[in-house]
Amino acid sequence: MFPSRALSKPITQTSRAFSSTARRRADFTHAVIGAGVVGLAVARKLQARDGVSTVLIEKHGSVGTETSSRNSEVIHAGLYYGADSLKTKLCLRGKEMMYELCKTHDIPHRNLGKWIVAQDGQQMDALQKVHDFASTIGVPIHFITKAEAARREPDVCAEAGILESPSTGIVDSHSLMQYLEGDFEDKGGVCAFKSPVSGITPVNGGAGGWEITTTTDGEETTITAETLVNSGGLAAIPISNMILPTERQRQAFYAKGSYFSYSLSQPKPNTLVYPAPVPGHGGLGTHLTLDMAGRVRFGPDVEWTNDPNDYTPNGKNLEVALDDIRSYLPGIDRSAIGLDYVGIRPKLGKLGAVASGKGFQDFYIVREEGFEGFVNLLGIESPGLTSALAIAEEVEGLLYR
């Protein structure tokens, strides 16, 4: 069965009335797989349409237990991803939507701004490229002087220069997901927890709907839906491979990142601090972020793993991370930095760079050819949290426009 707080009895194939505008009979208009922040946003957006029914299928017992709750919780400005990329388009739109949603519904967030720091000429060149790109797409960005830097953040070291992004911020991702879940259910959506997907069958290539089977404690349940959205996060590629023919299947890659805590109250900047982007790197460096309580944390590093469930912190990169941190925060007490938590990012390849350029991998958000009503979301990593609400708009547009 589909366990759910929204239901008093199990879902069956006849437990949902089909909308009056439907071309075929099905249990639900939409099935969304994966209740991370993106899946929640997508399900909420689709359920807001008139006369529809949406089920959100999640293998865990609650929302957002994987990538969505194990990240830096940063609202990104959209500085790195290339003018024509989905990441830039959806990050810029999502950032605006995120701030508006948080203000309207009192979701904890702070518009702290971000400093990107350079220690030498090569890093300064990288900052200049970020500045020039941001200027072309209308993202607020400016360099600040050493005098202003010393006045505002005396503990931060930047030998060559500092680029400030005033529209960067942080959000309490847990509160955000709680709101999205509650609003989805208030609109009549159904959350099906503890329901790992074990099989998917397109009926007549999706033209006749979709059969989705889940297996819980050895018990199988199959429902039908008119449309299917794969927002499975770390499981998205395996789910996609259940559907697509062999020649269109992909290999999943997982970038494990350990985060580090800081147990002392000083030094503690009041803004986020990122090192200059490194070409070809799988992340944005060992950066300093703050949580909603003002606690400092660092990370993530990048370590490739074959296990998407490998959440054991690894200290092997701690010394390298400490050197990175001390380059921009020299007064840090190394003994007060320790391993904290781990996040895993779904990647489309090992050589992918976060910033635009060689090896850059964009979001894959596609209405798959030959499979009616199927929207596939792969490689949804950073800036996925920032982009979530805009991704929801994108998916609705693929299905309905």
Side-chain angles (χ1 to χ4, degrees):
M1 69 181 70
F2 278 152
S4 174
R5 291 172 297 186
L7 297 174
S8 59
K9 60 181 180 179
I11 302 176
T12 68
Q13 285 186 276
T14 58
S15 64
R16 272 280 170 160
F18 192 57
S19 70
S20 60
T21 59
R23 292 171 296 163
R24 54 192 174 269
R25 182 171 181 81
D27 298 321
F28 295 93
T29 316
H30 314 114
V32 179
I33 299 173
V37 66
V38 172
L40 283 163
V42 169
R44 169 179 173 265
K45 183 68 174 175
L46 295 177
Q47 184 59 29
R49 298 182 66 86
D50 291 337
V52 305
S53 56
T54 305
V55 61
L56 180 58
I57 302 170
E58 169 56 45
K59 66 181 178 180
H60 296 292
S62 60
V63 303
T65 61
E66 294 184 353
T67 306
S68 295
S69 60
R70 294 170 171 270
N71 57 67
S72 301
E73 298 185 300
V74 172
I75 302 174
H76 286 286
L79 303 176
Y80 302 108
Y81 314 111
D84 299 324
S85 71
L86 267 181
K87 285 188 175 182
T88 292
K89 170 190 169 183
L90 299 176
C91 185
L92 297 185
R93 172 66 176 150
K95 175 180 63 175
E96 295 177 1
M97 297 176 74
M98 182 72 72
Y99 278 127
E100 181 62 30
L101 184 80
C102 289
K103 291 174 185 175
T104 302
H105 298 285
D106 297 320
I107 298 168
H109 70 290
R110 295 173 66 190
N111 184 191
L112 295 172
K114 175 174 80 173
W115 285 8
I116 312 173
V117 297
Q119 309 300 344
D120 56 35
Q122 183 180 12
Q123 292 182 7
M124 191 62 188
D125 288 343
L127 260 60
Q128 187 66 54
K129 290 178 181 178
V130 172
H131 173 275
D132 294 346
F133 170 67
S135 299
T136 65
I137 59 173
V139 174
I141 199 85
H142 58 266
F143 288 101
I144 63 175
T145 65
K146 284 191 174 183
E148 182 180 356
R151 175 178 57 81
R152 290 172 53 190
E153 298 286 4
D155 295 320
V156 175
C157 174
E159 295 291 344
I162 297 174
L163 187 61
E164 181 168 37
S165 167
S167 63
T168 301
I170 57 174
V171 62
D172 182 338
S173 61
H174 300 274
S175 296
L176 171 65
M177 289 188 286
Q178 286 175 354
Y179 168 77
L180 294 175
E181 178 187 7
D183 196 44
F184 169 64
E185 292 183 332
D186 286 346
K187 288 178 168 65
V190 174
C191 290
F193 296 117
K194 297 183 180 178
S195 301
V197 173
S198 54
I200 301 172
T201 302
V203 179
N204 190 22
W210 294 82
E211 295 179 353
I212 303 111
T213 300
T214 65
T215 303
T216 304
D217 297 328
E219 182 180 352
E220 286 191 352
T221 299
T222 299
I223 62 158
T224 57
E226 294 179 49
T227 66
L228 175 66
V229 178
N230 174 20
S231 183
L234 296 173
I237 287 179
I239 289 169
S240 176
N241 290 347
M242 291 181 183
I243 301 167
L244 298 181
T246 303
E247 64 273 14
R248 291 166 63 181
Q249 294 180 6
R250 294 172 175 262
Q251 179 182 353
F253 296 89
Y254 307 105
K256 175 181 175 180
S258 293
Y259 289 81
F260 309 96
S261 62
Y262 189 60
S263 59
L264 299 181
S265 60
Q266 294 295 330
K268 186 175 74 174
N270 295 308
T271 191
L272 312 182
V273 183
Y274 280 56
V278 178
H281 196 269
L284 291 176
T286 307
H287 49 263
L288 180 156
T289 60
L290 303 167
D291 65 15
M292 292 305 303
R295 290 184 292 264
V296 170
R297 56 190 173 190
F298 301 98
D301 59 7
V302 176
E303 174 190 356
W304 295 102
T305 179
N306 294 321
D307 183 1
N309 301 303
D310 179 13
Y311 290 109
T312 303
N314 191 334
K316 73 175 186 178
N317 295 325
L318 180 56
E319 287 302 316
V320 174
L322 286 169
D323 290 340
D324 287 345
I325 295 164
R326 286 207 66 184
S327 71
Y328 61 79
L329 206 65
I332 203 81
D333 184 342
R334 298 173 77 110
S335 67
I337 298 177
L339 286 169
D340 194 353
Y341 63 97
V342 164
I344 301 177
R345 286 155 283 176
K347 295 277 192 176
L348 297 177
K350 280 193 174 183
L351 299 179
V354 169
S356 60
K358 185 177 180 180
F360 171 71
Q361 293 168 343
D362 204 357
F363 290 152
Y364 182 91
I365 303 175
V366 173
R367 182 165 177 166
E368 293 285 4
E369 184 178 353
F371 294 88
E372 187 171 338
F374 174 38
V375 177
N376 210 6
L377 282 69
L378 308 178
I380 309 299
E381 49 158 338
S382 182
L385 174 63
T386 306
S387 305
L389 300 173
I391 291 173
E393 283 188 337
E394 183 80 6
V395 170
E396 184 190 36
L398 289 173
L399 287 173
Y400 287 99
R401 288 195 296 273

